[in-house]
Amino acid sequence: GLGDVYKRQVDEEAVEKASDLALVRQLMLHLPDNQRLVLEMSVFMQLDIEEICSRTGLSTTNVRVLLSRGRKRLRKDFAKYNN
C-alpha cells in the first residue's frame, strides 16, 4: 500500500544520505589540513566560530575564510562525483 511506498522512499533517502555523508567525509580528506580541521570542528563537533578560534589560535576572519573555501571546494568536488 501507500505506507510501503513511503517507507521504501524513506529508506532510499536514508541510504542516499548515508552514502552522501560517506562521500563528503572522503572528499574532506583531500582538503588542505587547515580547511579540513575547521570544517570538522564546525560540522562534526558543532563548534561555533569563537570556539574554533580559541582551540586553533586562528583569527575570526581566518576561520570564516577557511570554512568558506572548504565548503566551496567540497560542493564543487561533491557535484563532480555525484553527476
Side-chain angles (χ1 to χ4, degrees), residues 3-60:
D4 291 338
V5 170
Y6 177 73
K7 185 181 179 329
R8 225 181 356 264
Q9 183 178 349
V10 169
D11 289 345
E12 287 170 13
E13 287 172 7
V15 167
E16 192 173 311
K17 281 184 185 152
S19 67
D20 286 353
L21 182 59
L23 175 58
V24 168
R25 284 183 181 267
Q26 192 65 34
L27 292 173
M28 284 179 75
L29 297 174
H30 301 288
L31 291 175
D33 289 343
N34 53 359
Q35 288 178 14
R36 186 177 70 247
L37 176 66
V38 296
L39 268 175
E40 286 174 348
M41 293 175 107
S42 175
V43 175
F44 298 117
M45 296 171 69
Q46 303 279 300
L47 301 178
D48 62 22
I49 288 177
E50 290 74 29
E51 187 65 28
I52 295 170
C53 291
S54 73
R55 290 186 184 208
T56 61
L58 298 169
S59 70
T60 302

